[in-house]
Amino acid sequence: MTHFIEAEQLKTYFSHITPISEEVWEEFASKLRVVHKTSGEIILHEGEVCNFVSFINKGLIRVYEIVEGIEVNRSFFMEGFFATEYQSFVNRCPSVEYLEVVQDAELVMIDYDHLQDMYQKHKSFERLGRLISESLYVRLRKKLERFQVKTPEERYLLMTRENPDYLDKIPHYHIASYLGIKPQSLSRIRSRLR
């Protein structure tokens, strides 16, 4: 059982989306686990079924896939966001991605079965889950649109505006992979923009 204080950030996040009663929150929080992970730890491997959604109290998670022997970064999640392999989590299928801790992390772990149980029992919780899923979909859709129509330099500028912390917290070779370019190309873009 988690200490409620460790899940306070998650409770605040929920309250910004839709109200849930204190009784429902306490039932939900009673089965949360708080885990501490260090940089470099893999919390989900390719081929595993993702049985959790993690809310990041502290730290940074990267999501990557191995394509023809090369790690390709798909996304980064920082404090105040959820990290999961959503397709595997929802469809109960093996993950095609890895989730790795980039900076030491404190994660509030929400287990699949517990979440499904909360959805079944509480309409307010089911609504909360739907609203969070919709916001994740919109975020993914925006990313896909950007990658289809913007140049690497435009994608980099957008990333620096939306997530300026990335530049300080994520190694540049990971940022280059995320942008779909080589590290040397990122260096040239950065030089031009100085």
Side-chain angles (χ1 to χ4, degrees):
M1 188 190 301
T2 185
H3 299 287
F4 285 104
I5 194 92
E6 293 172 309
E8 197 61 34
Q9 217 176 327
L10 177 58
K11 184 180 183 184
T12 301
Y13 180 91
F14 284 172
S15 70
H16 288 241
I17 297 169
T18 190
I20 57 171
S21 71
E22 192 62 28
E23 182 183 331
V24 170
W25 164 255
E26 287 180 11
E27 180 182 350
F28 174 66
S30 70
K31 292 189 179 174
L32 298 177
R33 294 178 297 119
V34 176
V35 298
H36 296 86
K37 299 290 183 180
T38 56
S39 179
E41 279 192 69
I42 306 286
I43 59 173
L44 180 71
H45 290 83
E46 176 187 23
E48 295 176 347
V49 174
C50 185
N51 288 312
F52 64 86
V53 173
S54 58
F55 182 80
I56 305 169
N57 274 345
K58 295 177 191 159
L60 179 77
I61 306 288
R62 82 175 170 120
V63 179
Y64 70 93
E65 187 176 340
I66 297 180
V67 179
E68 296 178 4
I70 297 169
E71 291 180 8
V72 178
N73 290 315
R74 298 293 183 211
S75 199
F76 299 99
F77 297 104
M78 300 181 78
E79 181 177 317
F81 285 94
F82 291 98
T84 190
E85 208 280 63
Y86 199 62
Q87 181 175 324
S88 173
F89 183 80
V90 170
N91 293 330
R92 314 309 301 141
C93 62
S95 173
V96 296
E97 297 174 328
Y98 292 82
L99 271 67
E100 178 186 22
V101 177
V102 176
Q103 279 193 334
D104 291 358
E106 179 182 277
L107 307 172
V108 180
M109 305 299 281
I110 306 164
D111 293 322
Y112 177 86
D113 289 337
H114 179 49
L115 189 60
Q116 300 309 310
D117 185 49
M118 291 298 295
Y119 287 162
Q120 288 293 323
K121 287 183 181 174
H122 304 286
K123 208 72 174 150
S124 63
F125 215 86
E126 187 177 42
R127 181 174 191 275
L128 175 68
R130 179 179 55 79
L131 292 171
I132 291 170
S133 295
E134 288 170 357
S135 76
L136 290 172
Y137 171 78
V138 169
R139 182 179 180 204
L140 178 61
R141 178 70 190 193
K142 281 183 182 176
K143 180 185 168 190
L144 287 172
E145 288 169 0
R146 276 184 240 157
F147 272 71
Q148 289 173 337
V149 298
K150 298 202 180 296
T151 67
E153 187 168 311
E154 290 170 328
R155 292 195 301 260
Y156 175 76
L157 285 168
L158 201 59
M159 188 190 79
T160 60
R161 266 192 308 254
E162 291 179 354
N163 302 292
D165 289 345
Y166 278 11
L167 299 178
D168 297 329
K169 296 182 176 183
I170 300 171
H172 290 178
Y173 66 92
H174 282 324
I175 291 173
S177 170
Y178 174 73
L179 295 172
I181 58 177
K182 301 280 185 207
Q184 305 88 315
S185 300
L186 178 58
S187 294
R188 285 193 291 274
I189 288 170
R190 287 168 54 86
S191 294
R192 271 198 309 275
L193 296 173
R194 282 193 195 110

